[in-house]
Amino acid sequence: MYRIGIGFDAHKFGEGSSICIGGALIPFNKGLIAHSDGDVLTHALMDAILGALGEGDIGRLFPDSDEKYRGISSLELLREVGNILDAKGFEIVNIDMVFIGEKPKIMKYGEEIVNNYRDILNIGEDRINLKGTTTEGMGFTGREEGLASKVVVLIRRK
Ligand code: MG
């Protein structure tokens, strides 16, 4: 049995000197405002997996109101989501991801990001794809107010 899930996330820029995307620490002249590390790509990925499982979303699983999640690495949360996927008897067929933003350019960190996800979710290189795009100056990402990501995942019963 196959199931599909979609995830979307956005975070607003604030003060800072780096951002974390897919577990890669990327030097930048701003940071992202968030309860966790503001890793928009990982948040969208987790929501896609949880959506495919019919398990709600990361807000339900890791509530903002819970102090234990303050500043936590989103990769740690992804590991928990991967454990839920495994425990429910599913595996990932493929993941397709779109990172949306003008700056910083993240594709030079693409291999590091994909490898982080492959390690945590235990999947092959051909099962995960990362793309980067801008919105041509339009909207909140175009005005460089923040970053966004969209992810689609297909899972199947093991
Ligand atoms: Mg988020």
Side-chain angles (χ1 to χ4, degrees):
M1 183 173 77
Y2 288 85
R3 299 177 64 113
I4 192 167
I6 184 171
F8 173 79
D9 194 32
H11 281 279
K12 190 177 175 180
F13 284 131
E15 284 187 11
S17 57
S18 65
I19 62 164
C20 183
I21 300 294
L25 197 63
I26 302 173
F28 193 49
N29 60 1
K30 295 170 191 164
L32 288 171
I33 300 170
H35 186 74
S36 69
D37 58 5
D39 188 334
V40 282
L41 188 65
T42 306
H43 293 180
L45 172 57
M46 290 191 282
D47 266 355
I49 296 170
L50 291 171
L53 288 168
E55 286 289 319
D57 60 30
I58 52 172
R60 193 173 92 184
L61 202 60
F62 312 115
D64 273 9
S65 52
D66 193 332
E67 279 305 308
K68 83 174 166 186
Y69 299 122
R70 181 173 294 279
I72 196 168
S73 162
S74 295
L75 292 188
E76 288 308 308
L77 304 180
L78 178 63
R79 199 176 298 279
E80 284 192 42
V81 170
N83 289 342
I84 294 169
L85 177 87
D86 195 49
K88 293 202 93 184
F90 282 88
E91 64 181 3
I92 287 167
V93 177
N94 75 302
I95 296 167
D96 193 19
M97 306 183 283
V98 188
F99 173 85
I100 307 157
E102 305 286 331
K103 280 183 218 150
K105 299 296 179 204
I106 66 144
M107 290 314 286
K108 71 173 179 179
Y109 300 89
E111 198 177 318
E112 179 181 345
I113 293 168
V114 166
N115 284 339
N116 285 341
Y117 291 155
R118 286 184 57 205
D119 284 350
I120 289 169
L121 297 171
N122 201 18
I123 53 174
E125 195 172 1
D126 60 335
R127 291 180 183 241
I128 182 160
N129 188 67
L130 172 63
K131 304 185 290 287
T133 190
T134 71
T135 50
E136 301 278 340
M138 298 178 286
F140 70 90
T141 51
R143 291 188 298 269
E144 299 182 30
E145 294 167 3
L147 299 171
S149 294
K150 292 180 184 182
V151 175
V152 172
V153 62
L154 186 69
I155 63 173
R156 71 177 162 219
R157 200 173 282 284
K158 283 191 272 193

